[in-house]
Amino acid sequence: MIVRKLEELLGTDREVDAANWTSRRFLLKNDGMGFSMHDTVIKAGTETFIWYAHHLEAVYCVEGRGEVEAVDSGEVYPIEAGTIYALDGHEKHYLRAHTQMRMVCVFNPPLTGTEVHDEKGVYPLVAEAAAD
Ligand code: 9YT
């Protein structure tokens, strides 16, 4: 059994910073679960273009509010604590954080932990601080 606490990940290579978000990787490929699971903080006021060409991702918002825009359909979905969205079609999308958001993210196939540096399909566009 694997038991981890968020505080144990902080400051290790399981805590990965990008311009618009910080991802704490609870479970990665080498944990052998078949998926990865992250506790991700999205910075307030940011807009991130995301396209996971090779992964499915489910995102459960547990704090904050924002929106997701599906690029192809143009549909905009408000996201708040208690909302999940699942990218079951490799959708290109914009994630906009109106406030700081905290997301529980699950990836299939699992991330190995290195993706943030050569992350195909994740292109931060704007990283500006905003008052909450
Ligand atoms: C919600 C989302 O996809 N944010 C980008 C970071 C990613 N979820 C990660 O690496 O945790």
Side-chain angles (χ1 to χ4, degrees), residues 9-10 20 30 45-46 56 76-77 81 87 95 100 102 105 114:
L9 309 183
L10 306 182
N20 292 355
N30 65 7
T46 59
L56 304 175
V76 177
Y77 303 91
L87 301 161
L95 174 61
Q100 176 174 292
R102 189 165 173 203
C105 308
T114 61

Side-chain angles (χ1 to χ4, degrees), residues 3 7 9-10 20 33 35-37 58-60 74 104 112 128:
V3 178
E7 65 200 40
L9 309 183
L10 306 182
N20 292 355
M33 294 294 291
F35 56 86
S36 62
M37 187 167 189
V59 181
Y60 181 53
V104 178
T112 63
E128 55 187 57

Side-chain angles (χ1 to χ4, degrees), residues 72-83:
D72 287 346
S73 68
E75 203 152 348
V76 177
Y77 303 91
I79 306 295
E80 61 185 9
T83 309

Side-chain angles (χ1 to χ4, degrees), residues 21-124:
W21 46 262
T22 301
S23 177
R24 291 79 63 92
R25 274 92 190 252
F26 271 111
L27 295 170
L28 289 167
K29 182 175 183 185
N30 65 7
D31 292 308
M33 294 294 291
F35 56 86
S36 62
M37 187 167 189
H38 319 162
D39 177 327
T40 302
V41 176
I42 314 289
K43 295 173 190 168
T46 59
E47 175 185 70
T48 308
F49 174 74
I50 299 174
W51 179 39
Y52 293 119
H54 307 296
H55 297 82
L56 304 175
E57 186 196 25
V59 181
Y60 181 53
C61 176
V62 295
E63 288 175 19
R65 58 186 173 75
E67 64 184 28
V68 170
E69 178 179 343
V71 171
D72 287 346
S73 68
E75 203 152 348
V76 177
Y77 303 91
I79 306 295
E80 61 185 9
T83 309
I84 191 171
Y85 65 92
L87 301 161
D88 60 343
H90 302 284
E91 292 90 342
K92 294 177 182 169
H93 60 285
Y94 290 94
L95 174 61
R96 302 187 185 102
H98 301 329
T99 68
Q100 176 174 292
M101 302 172 82
R102 189 165 173 203
M103 314 292 232
V104 178
C105 308
V106 175
F107 281 82
N108 169 25
L111 297 197
T112 63
T114 61
E115 281 84 349
V116 77
H117 302 298
D118 60 352
E119 198 159 12
K120 298 181 180 65
V122 177
Y123 304 111

